[in-house]
């Protein structure tokens, strides 16, 4: 049980985030939107106002970005959105893939798209979406994957920008989230 919490205020919601170690020297405030309809709905409304006008389609990656992408696409009246997967399922034909590294996952993993996703992305302006942008590793992998599929990445958006990402002016986000360094 985590003893310490960080109080987050975002899109009119307040959440107590448990501070949890991800390495010997670094802890994060765990932000989980899975199962939280209120934060997903309200954040999507605020993000919708900031989506680049010429966005054709939204793309996210498994897992925590999925409800956000579904709701943001719905608010924007988009019938489809794209989910990059962490593994290849039997129903995924002719997959393409890239390597991915993230702050919350140990080691390397891959991100995959199936051929129907590639068809939907080809030649489109795509907005990359996630719950948190931190090191930028997941976004980098998603960008490479979208470009491999023949899409043009028009922007990167998230509910929160964590650590140094909060200083970036090339990404869309609603609030900052600190990282917690210790000895
Ligand atoms: N603070 C955080 N909580 C949950 N997922 C994350 N991914 C990157 N930073 C995170």
């Amino acid at each position: 049980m985590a003893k310490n919490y960080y109080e987050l205020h975002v899109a009119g919601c307040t959440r107590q985030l448990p501070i949890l170690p991800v390495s010997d020297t670094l802890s994060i405030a765990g932000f989980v939107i899975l199962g939280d309809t209120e934060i997903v709905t309200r954040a999507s409304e605020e993000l919708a106002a900031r989506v680049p006008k010429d966005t054709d389609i939204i793309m996210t990656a498994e897992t925590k970005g999925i409800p956000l992408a579904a709701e943001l696409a719905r608010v924007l009246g988009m019938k489809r959105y794209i989910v990059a997967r962490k593994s290849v399922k039997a129903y995924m034909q002719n997959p393409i893939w890239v390597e991915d590294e993230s702050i919350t996952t140990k080691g390397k993993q891959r991100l995959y798209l199936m051929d129907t996703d590639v068809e939907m992305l080809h030649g489109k302006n795509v907005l990359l979406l996630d719950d948190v942008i931190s090191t930028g590793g997941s976004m980098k992998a998603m960008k490479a994957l979208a470009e491999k599929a023949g899409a043009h990445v028009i922007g990167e958006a998230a509910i929160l920008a964590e650590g140094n990402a909060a200083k970036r002016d090339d990404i869309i986000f609603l609030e900052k989230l600190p990282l917690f360094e210790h000895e």
Side-chain angles (χ1 to χ4, degrees):
M1 184 71 184
K3 288 193 198 102
N4 295 322
Y5 290 84
Y6 173 78
E7 187 169 281
L8 173 74
H9 299 271
V10 66
C13 301
T14 301
R15 296 290 181 275
Q16 308 293 330
L17 308 185
I19 299 177
L20 303 161
V22 289
S23 76
D24 291 344
T25 56
L26 190 68
S27 290
I28 61 169
F31 177 62
V32 182
I33 63 170
L34 294 178
D36 191 335
T37 58
E38 186 187 30
I39 220 162
V40 167
T41 309
R42 292 196 183 180
S44 296
E45 279 163 15
E46 291 199 8
L47 283 170
R50 305 183 48 186
V51 165
K53 293 281 171 282
D54 38 0
T55 300
D56 296 317
I57 195 158
I58 289 166
M59 172 171 160
T60 191
E62 279 190 320
T63 305
K64 293 199 274 65
I66 297 174
L68 183 66
E71 178 62 10
L72 183 56
R74 192 193 65 78
V75 170
L76 294 170
M78 296 174 175
K79 288 187 179 166
R80 304 292 309 220
Y81 63 97
I82 304 287
V83 182
R85 306 293 299 261
K86 290 179 181 165
S87 61
V88 179
K89 306 292 179 187
Y91 48 77
M92 293 171 64
Q93 294 192 58
N94 306 310
I96 63 168
W97 57 270
V98 295
E99 299 280 356
D100 175 25
E101 236 173 317
S102 103
I103 192 169
T104 50
T105 310
K106 286 196 182 79
K108 291 212 169 183
Q109 55 185 19
R110 285 181 179 178
L111 282 184
Y112 301 87
L113 290 175
M114 57 185 165
D115 53 8
T116 48
D117 297 324
V118 174
E119 271 169 42
M120 275 190 279
L121 280 169
H122 194 86
K124 298 282 169 47
N125 289 329
V126 60
L127 177 71
L128 305 180
L129 183 69
D130 216 340
D131 53 343
V132 185
I133 298 176
S134 186
T135 62
S138 302
M139 282 291 177
K140 196 173 154 199
M142 267 201 272
K143 185 167 193 276
L145 193 57
E147 287 173 349
K148 216 171 192 177
H152 168 66
V153 175
I154 198 164
E156 299 179 10
I159 300 176
L160 303 177
E162 182 173 54
N164 283 335
K167 297 179 197 154
R168 291 176 58 180
D169 58 9
D170 63 325
I171 56 175
I172 299 161
F173 62 94
L174 300 181
E175 298 296 339
K176 300 174 180 182
L177 186 64
L179 282 172
F180 304 86
E181 285 175 49
H182 43 85
E183 295 188 354

